[in-house]
Amino acid sequence: MERPDTDGRAAVFVPATDIKDDVLLAIRKGAAVVGFANHDRSITVYFESNRFEDPVLAKWEHKARKAYDRLVDNAPTVSKLTTSPANFEQIGYINGKGITIRRMDSLQRWLAYSDAMGSCPETDIVPRTVIAKVDAVKV
């Protein structure tokens, strides 16, 4: 699978249980990770961990959508890396219509490890939703 075009399909990953420490530190606990395979057998992943605690990105699927949008737009970001596929487990797919989770148990393992089970999707098919911006309260 190569870099998808707009609305194309990308893989959804979670860190493998034996992920290298430096890779785990780069993506941070609770991150949503999406990506694609390269010709040299590496993978390129884009991730979103909501480092600045934006309430719009409280749910895991919203983080996944943000990472996916960066990936298909080929947007410049520091939230990307190319690594060995041994560091990640593919759990599903994401495209312009939504997310399909094939290994919910692995996603739940990752989110439980990250103390982020409250952000876990309730079903294994997550349709795309529009993320509403939170307006600042005027005083």
Side-chain angles (χ1 to χ4, degrees):
M1 185 188 265
E2 295 177 345
R3 176 187 298 277
D5 293 331
T6 302
D7 289 337
R9 186 169 84 160
V12 178
F13 299 101
V14 293
T17 54
D18 57 347
I19 188 172
K20 292 183 179 179
D21 289 339
D22 59 331
V23 177
L24 183 59
L25 286 172
I27 66 164
R28 301 179 53 153
K29 286 184 173 181
V33 182
V34 302
F36 57 92
N38 300 303
H39 292 292
D40 65 357
R41 297 189 179 160
S42 66
I43 59 173
T44 297
V45 294
Y46 285 67
F47 48 92
E48 176 58 54
S49 62
N50 196 14
R51 181 180 209 160
F52 301 107
E53 299 183 20
D54 183 345
V56 172
L57 298 174
K59 291 185 173 186
W60 175 87
E61 64 256 32
H62 294 159
K63 293 178 199 174
R65 173 63 49 198
K66 181 162 185 165
Y68 172 80
D69 288 345
R70 275 195 212 117
L71 182 154
V72 297
D73 291 341
N74 200 16
T77 181
V78 296
S79 298
K80 142 185 165 178
L81 61 93
T82 299
T83 186
S84 165
N87 286 313
F88 291 93
E89 174 187 352
Q90 184 177 351
I91 62 162
Y93 299 95
I94 184 170
N95 62 24
K97 295 180 182 177
I99 304 168
T100 301
I101 302 167
R102 302 274 188 209
R103 294 188 176 122
M104 182 63 84
D105 57 327
S106 293
L107 175 58
Q108 291 171 339
R109 172 192 51 81
W110 167 238
L111 293 177
Y113 169 80
S114 302
D115 295 323
M117 277 301 290
S119 72
C120 190
E122 295 177 14
T123 63
D124 55 0
I125 304 291
V126 184
R128 182 174 187 158
T129 56
V130 176
I131 303 172
K133 297 279 184 189
V134 177
D135 293 329
V137 177
K138 294 181 181 179
V139 181

